[in-house]
Amino acid sequence: MTANELRKKYLDFFQSKGHTIIPSASLIPENDPTVLFTTAGMQQFKPYYTGEKDPIKNFGARRATSIQKCFRTSDIDSVGDESHLTFFEMLGNFSFGDYFKEDAIKWAWEFITKEMKISPERCFVSVFEGDPAVPEDKESVEIWKDLGLTDDKIKKCGRKDNFWGPTGDEGPCGPTTEIYVDGIEVWNIVFNEYYCSADKSLEPLEQKGVDTGMGLERLAMVVQNKKTIFETDLFTPLIETNRIMLDHSRAIVFLISDGVRPSNKEQGYILRRLMRRVMAKKSVESINIENLLKRIIEEYKKFYPELNEESVLSVFREENSKFQKAIRQGLRELEKVGKLDAVSAFKLFESYGLTFEVIKDFAGTKAASLNQKDFDKEFKKHQEISRAGSEQKFKGGLADASERTIKYHTAAHLMLAALRQALGDGVAQKGANITAERLRFDFSYPEKMTPEQIKQVEDLVNEKIKENLPVKMEEMFLKEAKALGATGAFESKYDERVKVYSIGSSTSSASAFSREICGGPHVNSTGEIGRFKIIKEESSSAGVRRIKAIVE
Ligand code: GLY
């Protein structure tokens, strides 16, 4: 059975069970700003699970089926093995307050064993075993048993494996039952019974739903009896090439066609990384990438008419010419450096556009200890500073984003909170200048501080450093930040989204020691700062005092 036949069989099957066929949504989610990409078929249906939108009114049924274009960065490190991809197609059927566990499981089993003719011998399933928050899914176990599965074919697993969602910060989610064929997970059947809020608490949904997701590539692999997804007909018509190249090139084609352009931000940054990895690999494998992209478009255009050869190639060429200029010099530089850590790797990105994967691919053992998490941290620090600079929202006046400077920055937040405790709420920040050596801070106060007041502020800051309090960042609307008593950023508009840094043992309640609207960056906890000392207190201008302080 070809992949094309699989797509058709799936949609036909669920249409015959009363589902409306809904086209794939874009890879860029329209109604969920908290996620960068569409990662699951259910994403476009989120408002139907919560009752915000009426499925009957919009597509005439409480059930839908789709083949959704998906992109996940979570599996990027596994790409190249037999079953992981960044871009993939997800077959899904969905119920919004309509059928539930019994039909969902029976139909899935019918599709796998009858339509796909996969022998039950090759299958096992998993169900949710229960935990303190969500009960064990006994009902699914019974349904599987009714279908003839024996106990040894029904595995019980916990949250990590058998609970799905939400996508983004919040949304529908619930326990799952999953079908494995030849040991590969092919179908995830989610019972959306809960709404998970941003604080991660679960509330039962008013109406229960079903959300299933089956990777087309994996289904094709088991139906076509192949050992890897790359041997299926979804890939074989394409030029024989490295798996990573193949995965990334497919993702590039779909992302560009859905409007993503390479940049150093959000979706654009992910696209740039995929593109540059492919471009760098090309230089060692002498592959004609343009041909590969064209073949992919040709192959997939039958099913995805939005694929646009002209824009894919022109975006590719432009990025390629930028990258080719930089890479030779960058690789020479890479040869010169010794062991690479996140800071030196990020410098290579900043100066020569060498992305994380390119550095990893080319640096060999030098980059053995370099990991994505530390690199991303460095990237984030940098982004926060440049964003703050360009939007001029940030009055912190940081000289750079070095570790020491950042310590001073967090110390400045502690000091402002301490000043307000010692001198009253009339104290407001009037300016700051922070370097790796010292902190200079101007604030409104009508008279000279007494030595006792200075000591009080110093002691309070040092007490909070000693308590090693966590520093937490949350994004919210300015009005929410104000309602929480956050200081700073008076020039922002009321309905603007801002970042709020809180320092305190319970940063989520109103009792945080410090809470400021700020672009960052900050240390993760106050214990990193060191000893705080005020070395000077003087007048800056009428009604404004200036403190110079150091940390040791
Ligand atoms: N929404 C189900 C899945 O992505 O597996």
Side-chain angles (χ1 to χ4, degrees), residues 81-265:
D81 73 0
E82 72 280 2
S83 61
H84 287 90
L85 293 162
T86 56
F87 170 83
F88 62 100
E89 294 172 73
M90 182 122 90
L91 310 167
N93 55 288
F94 311 92
S95 156
F96 316 109
D98 191 355
Y99 63 87
F100 200 46
K101 295 185 180 176
E102 181 153 355
D103 284 331
I105 292 176
K106 283 188 173 158
W107 289 336
W109 193 241
E110 182 184 339
F111 185 79
I112 288 287
T113 57
K114 303 275 174 352
E115 298 287 318
M116 298 291 105
K117 301 190 174 51
I118 293 173
S119 152
E121 304 284 289
R122 293 170 64 188
C123 306
F124 71 81
V125 300
S126 63
V127 296
F128 185 61
E129 69 181 0
D131 69 13
V134 179
E136 181 187 348
D137 185 3
K138 292 184 182 152
E139 198 183 335
S140 293
V141 174
E142 289 313 310
I143 298 166
W144 284 120
K145 283 188 177 166
D146 281 349
L147 288 168
L149 278 87
T150 45
D151 280 335
D152 60 316
K153 291 274 194 178
I154 306 172
K155 297 204 184 326
K156 297 187 178 166
C157 305
R159 275 272 176 144
K160 200 173 132 288
D161 297 301
N162 278 70
F163 193 94
W164 197 88
T167 59
D169 287 348
E170 57 184 301
C173 60
T176 71
T177 182
E178 298 176 10
I179 301 177
Y180 287 72
V181 181
D182 301 340
I184 300 275
E185 178 200 331
V186 291
W187 205 340
N188 185 14
I189 299 158
V190 186
F191 303 117
N192 278 328
E193 296 178 65
Y194 299 98
Y195 191 89
C196 177
S197 302
D199 66 6
K200 300 297 156 220
S201 61
L202 298 178
E203 288 289 329
L205 277 171
E206 257 170 49
Q207 53 167 24
K208 291 178 179 175
V210 171
D211 146 36
T212 88
M214 172 156 60
L216 174 67
E217 294 80 357
R218 288 190 185 181
L219 178 67
M221 171 177 153
V222 297
V223 169
Q224 296 172 10
N225 284 309
K226 301 293 184 192
K227 289 206 167 53
T228 82
I229 41 181
F230 297 98
E231 291 164 45
T232 66
D233 71 320
L234 282 158
F235 291 95
T236 40
L238 307 168
I239 302 159
E240 258 312 306
T241 181
N242 175 299
R243 290 176 185 176
I244 293 174
M245 296 270 266
L246 213 42
D247 166 78
H248 285 16
S249 301
R250 224 166 55 130
I252 289 165
V253 162
F254 277 89
L255 289 172
I256 294 176
S257 297
D258 273 356
V260 183
R261 294 293 176 266
S263 74
N264 283 349
K265 273 202 339 222

Side-chain angles (χ1 to χ4, degrees), residues 394-399 405 407-409 411-413 415-416 419 429-443 532-541 544-551:
F394 176 55
K395 281 200 193 157
L398 265 66
T405 307
K407 284 180 188 174
Y408 273 109
H409 187 201
H413 278 222
M415 187 173 78
L416 175 60
L419 283 167
Q429 179 173 344
K430 288 291 172 196
N433 183 295
I434 298 170
T435 70
E437 282 81 41
R438 57 112 184 94
L439 132 75
R440 199 181 76 201
F441 191 88
D442 291 353
F443 60 99
F532 172 82
K533 202 167 155 51
I534 293 177
I535 50 173
K536 204 168 194 180
E537 192 274 347
E538 61 191 357
S539 163
S540 165
S541 59
V544 177
R545 308 294 304 173
R546 170 168 292 179
I547 281 182
K548 284 189 186 146
I550 54 167
V551 291

Side-chain angles (χ1 to χ4, degrees), residues 51-89:
E52 261 167 80
K53 274 193 183 171
D54 181 0
I56 302 282
K57 214 158 100 194
N58 285 303
F59 49 82
R62 305 197 76 81
R63 22 186 111 169
T65 183
S66 71
I67 300 177
Q68 174 65 50
K69 298 178 279 189
C70 295
F71 182 84
R72 289 185 184 175
T73 50
S74 53
D75 292 330
I76 201 161
D77 289 336
S78 309
V79 171
D81 73 0
E82 72 280 2
S83 61
H84 287 90
L85 293 162
T86 56
F87 170 83
F88 62 100
E89 294 172 73

Side-chain angles (χ1 to χ4, degrees), residues 332-381:
R332 262 205 304 276
E333 213 47 46
L334 182 61
E335 260 170 42
K336 278 193 234 152
V337 293
K339 236 168 75 69
L340 273 162
D341 58 10
V343 175
S344 52
F346 185 73
K347 279 213 179 92
L348 286 170
F349 171 67
E350 243 190 328
S351 318
Y352 306 105
L354 299 191
T355 48
F356 175 79
E357 290 80 8
V358 172
I359 293 171
K360 277 297 239 192
D361 285 349
F362 282 84
T365 52
K366 276 187 201 175
S369 61
L370 176 66
N371 64 53
Q372 182 82 55
K373 221 173 114 222
D374 294 343
F375 187 88
D376 286 350
K377 246 194 192 152
E378 227 21 65
F379 188 88
K380 219 169 138 217
K381 269 186 207 166

Side-chain angles (χ1 to χ4, degrees), residues 477-519:
F477 289 109
L478 180 66
K479 53 187 166 207
E480 297 171 284
K482 291 287 168 203
L484 282 171
T487 51
F490 294 98
E491 66 273 35
S492 300
K493 287 196 203 73
Y494 225 49
D495 55 359
E496 230 172 90
R497 283 191 76 80
V498 293
K499 284 186 174 176
V500 175
Y501 280 86
S502 305
I503 308 174
S505 49
S506 65
T507 47
S508 57
S509 75
S511 64
F513 175 68
S514 154
R515 182 173 274 126
E516 280 196 45
I517 298 162
C518 169

